[in-house]
């Protein structure tokens, strides 16, 4: 008998086929957290229940959800030009967007390379760093330095320089020749600090130790998040980034700021580099560039880095790197509309203005039983919870479930930390609402 044609059978709309990323699939599929639509500060479930977005999606919808100018720009672009080859050809909006981004970036960070995600942005920056030294005749500079507790996406480059054991331990030997600075967090010295902690600048000096160990002539670049987001909101200690910059300068090492989270207003400035007055050699970005509406990422490089490649025969590509969807027309249209919104609504300034109130509201949870630490910077807060004795991370997981199902607020978790990072359009009343709800949730899971 012929095999029945499985393809022609009705496909059940169940939850099994989709392997949900960075998610415990069995638990999720038993009690899914489904989102069907969104507007401004709210998500809506398929049943139409509103959920206040305390996380800007995944730290990306900085302008709020489904904003009309962004939606319109995407629609118009889809009608006008769906795709143009990203290699050897280009479309006008890619240049326009690059110029706009360069204008927002500090100093001579003026050259923009586009890709589609933060992970690709990180791999791109690491490759540019290696190639830069190579084209300048310093090919021995191959070592990359990351930091413990750093998150740089999930490419092999990103997990190699990243410092999260769960993201590394199952994936073999990773990139060779990588080393790590120590994490900047120390609860004993920093607990319940608003903004940048006073303690910890000296941890940057560990880079001198790594230089002494490996020799500067073997080190290509250091990559750090100015504020480490994914391991629970770790603002840089005062003076730390300046010290890192000085040591890199002393030894000819490139400094890369991974601003995938901190870019586009999260810390009250276009880039954290501006907040801290420290100019890196490259900035990686993603997420907020399109307010999450279309995937896009990129690297902003100092002019001198770009110039170093502009030699050799003019008919040959200077950098053998790129993605089919680099500077995709839909992403560029969304990016331009998003930057207009940020400018017209002064959303970066808004984040800066709201920061003190946000920090006060977060710190009001200090006395809630089971709260071990709270950190804030810009429109960002991390709240550490005491673990259940037998299950690290279970309490935070329950808190996320309860927040969504019972309180109608979206929070993000990492380990036993709750992270709150709302769209920059959050109102003062909504800040109060977020922390009231989170306080109730924490009490319920203790
Ligand atoms: C600092 C940083 N770098 C890179 C990434 C990876 O971005 P993506 O998930 O778009 O690949 C993230 C994502 O959260 C991030 O926070």
């Amino acid at each position: 008998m012929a095999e029945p044609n499985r393809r022609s059978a009705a496909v059940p709309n169940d939850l099994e086929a989709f392997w949900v990323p960075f998610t415990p699939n069995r638990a999720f599929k038993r009690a899914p957290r489904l989102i069907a639509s969104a507007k401004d500060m709210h998500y809506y479930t398929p049943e139409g229940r509103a959920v206040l977005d305390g996380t800007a999606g995944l730290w990306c919808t900085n302008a709020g959800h489904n904003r009309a100018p962004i939606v319109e720009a995407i629609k118009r672009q889809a009608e006008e030009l769906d795709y143009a080859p990203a290699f050897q050809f280009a479309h006008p909006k890619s240049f326009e967007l690059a110029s706009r981004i360069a204008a927002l970036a500090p100093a001579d960070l003026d050259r923009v390379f586009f890709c589609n995600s933060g992970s690709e942005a990180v791999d791109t920056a690491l490759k540019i760093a290696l190639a830069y030294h190579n084209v300048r005749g310093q090919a021995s500079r191959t070592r990359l330095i990351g930091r413990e507790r750093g998150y740089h996406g999930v490419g092999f480059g990103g997990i190699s320089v990243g410092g999260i054991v769960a993201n590394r331990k199952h994936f073999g030997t990773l990139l060779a020749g990588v080393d790590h600075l120590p994490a900047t967090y120390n609860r004993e010295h920093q607990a319940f600090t608003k903004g940048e902690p006073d303690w910890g600048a000296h941890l940057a000096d560990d880079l001198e130790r790594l230089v002494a160990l490996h020799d500067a002539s073997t080190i290509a670049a250091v990559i750090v998040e100015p504020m480490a987001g994914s391991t629970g909101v770790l603002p840089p200690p005062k003076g730390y980034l300046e010290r890192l910059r000085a040591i890199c300068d002393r030894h000819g090492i490139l400094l890369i700021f991974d601003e995938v989270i901190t870019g586009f207003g999260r810390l009250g400035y276009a880039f954290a580099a501006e907040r801290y007055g420290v100019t890196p050699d490259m900035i990686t970005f993603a997420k907020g560039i399109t307010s999450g509406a279309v995937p896009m990422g990129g690297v902003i490089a100092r002019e001198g880095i770009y110039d170093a490649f502009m030699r050799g025969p003019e008919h040959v590509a200077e950098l053998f790197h790129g993605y089919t969807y680099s500077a995709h027309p839909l992403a560029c249209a969304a990016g331009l509309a998003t930057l207009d919104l940020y400018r017209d609504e002064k959303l970066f300034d808004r984040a800066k203005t709201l920061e003190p109130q946000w920090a006060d509201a977060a710190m009001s949870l200090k006395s809630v039983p089971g709260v071990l630490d709270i950190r804030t910077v810009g429109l960002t807060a991390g709240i550490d919870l005491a673990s259940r004795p037998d299950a690290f991370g279970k309490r935070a997981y329950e808190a996320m479930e309860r927040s969504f199902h019972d309180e109608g607020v979206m929070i993000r978790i990492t380990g036993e930390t709750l992270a709150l990072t709302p769209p920059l359009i959050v109102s003062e009343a909504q800040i109060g609402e977020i922390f009231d709800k989170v306080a109730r949730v924490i009490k319920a899971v203790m």
Side-chain angles (χ1 to χ4, degrees):
M1 238 170 72
E3 276 281 299
N5 182 350
R6 297 183 64 216
R7 288 273 155 213
S8 68
V11 178
N13 185 16
D14 67 21
L15 304 179
E16 286 310 311
F18 178 35
W19 190 338
V20 192
F22 270 126
T23 297
N25 275 250
R26 287 158 302 162
F28 180 87
K29 288 170 184 179
R30 269 197 304 278
R33 295 173 291 279
L34 294 182
I35 295 151
S37 62
K39 185 67 194 154
D40 299 333
M41 278 297 298
H42 287 91
Y43 282 118
Y44 296 90
T45 67
E47 305 79 41
R49 190 170 60 84
V51 177
L52 182 59
D53 183 4
T55 60
L58 273 177
W59 315 70
C60 48
T61 56
N62 291 3
H65 292 278
N66 288 61
R67 298 296 309 274
I70 303 174
V71 174
E72 288 307 317
I74 296 168
K75 279 187 191 165
R76 272 197 310 276
Q77 187 60 46
E79 281 172 3
E80 187 181 302
L81 175 68
D82 52 356
Y83 178 76
F87 312 158
Q88 307 283 12
F89 301 87
H91 63 95
K93 287 198 180 72
S94 55
F95 295 98
E96 195 184 339
L97 184 60
S99 301
R100 294 278 300 274
I101 293 169
L104 287 175
D108 61 342
L109 281 115
D110 281 343
R111 300 289 182 259
V112 182
F113 195 101
F114 285 114
C115 52
N116 308 287
S117 67
S119 300
E120 288 179 0
V122 166
D123 278 9
T124 298
L126 298 178
K127 286 178 71 176
I128 290 176
L130 294 172
Y132 167 75
H133 290 300
N134 199 303
V135 298
R136 289 169 69 246
Q138 297 193 21
S140 66
R141 286 189 182 265
T142 56
R143 204 173 287 281
L144 301 166
I145 310 288
R147 191 169 61 190
E148 292 163 358
R149 297 192 67 168
Y151 182 63
H152 301 292
V154 294
F156 274 102
I159 61 173
S160 301
V161 292
I164 303 178
V165 63
N167 291 357
R168 296 162 52 88
K169 67 182 179 185
H170 289 148
F171 305 111
T173 52
L174 313 182
L175 285 189
V178 171
D179 213 333
H180 291 79
L181 294 164
T184 60
Y185 179 61
N186 183 306
R187 186 173 295 155
E188 195 188 328
H189 292 286
Q190 300 171 342
F192 298 104
T193 302
K194 288 180 191 166
E196 296 75 16
D198 290 326
W199 184 93
H202 65 280
L203 294 169
D205 296 342
D206 222 67
L207 184 55
E208 286 287 11
R209 184 183 65 77
L210 295 179
V211 169
L213 175 67
H214 299 298
D215 198 77
S217 66
T218 71
I219 303 177
V222 170
I223 181 167
V224 292
E225 303 159 88
M227 179 277 296
S230 292
T231 54
V233 180
L234 313 177
K238 286 183 188 132
Y240 174 90
L241 295 171
E242 291 88 325
R243 238 142 126 167
L244 221 46
R245 176 72 273 181
I247 299 169
C248 285
D249 282 347
R250 200 147 52 234
H251 298 289
I253 299 167
L254 295 178
L255 179 61
I256 305 167
F257 278 179
D258 184 348
E259 296 230 28
V260 165
I261 276 179
T262 52
F264 304 105
R266 180 57 50 199
L267 302 192
Y269 295 81
F271 294 100
E274 192 185 337
R275 177 177 173 118
Y276 296 115
V278 176
T279 306
D281 299 296
M282 283 184 268
I283 287 176
T284 57
F285 67 89
K287 299 190 187 256
I289 178 60
T290 62
S291 195
V294 182
M296 177 171 246
V299 176
I300 317 168
R302 293 184 99 148
E303 222 171 278
I305 292 180
Y306 173 90
D307 289 346
F309 287 89
M310 297 303 127
R311 44 178 89 170
E314 292 208 1
H315 67 286
V316 178
E318 297 96 358
L319 179 67
F320 280 77
H321 179 73
Y323 302 90
T324 298
Y325 300 121
S326 285
H328 192 280
L330 289 187
C332 290
L336 287 166
T338 302
L339 294 188
D340 286 348
L341 255 184
Y342 290 151
R343 181 197 57 209
D344 296 346
E345 299 185 352
K346 300 186 171 50
L347 289 182
F348 305 163
D349 284 344
R350 182 180 169 74
K352 191 168 21 170
T353 308
L354 285 173
E355 179 169 349
Q357 191 201 333
W358 170 262
D360 287 347
M363 289 298 168
S364 72
L365 274 56
K366 185 174 177 178
S367 54
V368 175
V371 170
L372 301 181
D373 187 18
I374 301 173
R375 298 168 292 279
T376 63
V377 61
L379 280 189
T380 303
I383 304 173
D384 292 350
L385 303 184
S387 292
R388 296 194 194 291
D390 55 337
F392 176 75
K394 193 143 186 269
R395 189 163 264 147
Y397 187 77
E398 284 173 19
M400 179 185 61
E401 284 196 301
R402 274 181 180 271
S403 296
F404 183 81
H405 291 298
D406 302 344
E407 290 288 347
V409 63
M410 181 175 288
I411 66 169
R412 179 145 176 72
I413 56 169
T414 167
E416 211 68 280
T417 304
L418 315 184
L420 294 157
T421 60
L424 311 181
I425 59 166
V426 66
S427 71
E428 300 193 14
Q430 285 162 338
I431 291 176
E433 188 183 339
I434 289 171
F435 287 105
D436 286 349
K437 285 170 184 274
V438 170
R440 277 200 297 276
V441 163
I442 296 174
K443 286 173 193 156
V445 300
M446 280 301 151

